[in-house]
Amino acid sequence: MAHVRASRELLPAWMERGRGCFVVTASAAGLLTMLGAAPYSVTKHAAEAYAEWLAATYGHRGLSVHCICPQGVRTAMLAASGQAGEVVLKEAAIEPEQVGEALWDGLADGRFLILPHPQVQDYYAMRAGDTDRWLRGMNRMQQRIEELIP
């Protein structure tokens, strides 16, 4: 609800001024999913959907909305993510500074969806293009995770 609360506070002044910039920090889990972390996945899906709603609703009134969706980032949160994080994220994890650079570039380019991990775009397209195939692949990954857990 942080994004909703923040936008409620900020939108009136932005609408009066005729411009504003709002960045929603979501996650690749908001576009895809994160195995082993249902609450995380669901809230990130919601954050990404809220960003889309804001952009569609207020873009013509001067609000610039950006949604950054990194995959694995080398932070304490990734280190504490357990087997799912180890299997799914660790190998492709990037440094927090790289996320910041991607955000900066995305803001400069005026992009809504900012993906510090370029491969997420392909995964997202694959998920949308053949959802059943995507879900079967995710289920296979879940099985791999379960095999690793004693």
Side-chain angles (χ1 to χ4, degrees):
M1 291 296 294
H3 299 104
V4 174
R5 289 185 186 107
S7 66
R8 283 182 185 156
E9 291 295 319
L10 297 166
L11 274 171
W14 286 340
M15 294 301 99
E16 185 177 314
R17 190 170 53 233
R19 63 182 167 77
C21 180
F22 195 74
V23 176
V24 171
T25 302
S27 167
L31 301 171
L32 309 170
T33 198
M34 179 58 196
L35 297 171
Y40 182 81
S41 291
V42 170
T43 57
K44 295 307 180 177
H45 277 285
E48 193 277 332
Y50 188 64
E52 284 183 7
W53 182 85
L54 284 171
T57 303
Y58 294 105
H60 70 287
R61 296 180 64 189
L63 181 62
S64 173
V65 181
H66 310 273
C67 185
I68 187 161
C69 297
Q71 203 170 17
V73 181
R74 291 187 187 106
T75 63
M77 185 175 160
L78 177 61
S81 65
Q83 291 292 344
E86 186 77 25
V87 170
V88 177
L89 301 174
K90 192 169 183 182
E91 188 173 309
I94 61 175
E95 297 298 328
E97 293 80 9
Q98 292 172 277
V99 177
E101 289 170 11
L103 177 58
W104 184 258
D105 292 344
L107 290 170
D109 294 343
R111 281 183 276 129
F112 168 76
L113 195 57
I114 300 170
L115 304 173
H117 295 80
Q119 65 271 30
V120 170
Q121 179 75 35
D122 296 333
Y123 299 154
Y124 188 45
M126 193 182 331
R127 177 182 174 258
D130 190 344
T131 305
D132 292 326
R133 181 176 177 217
W134 172 259
L135 289 172
R136 286 190 302 272
M138 291 299 286
N139 185 252
R140 283 190 301 275
M141 191 176 305
Q142 176 65 34
Q143 291 172 47
R144 280 186 30 222
I145 294 166
E146 290 175 11
E147 289 170 2
L148 294 173
I149 298 173

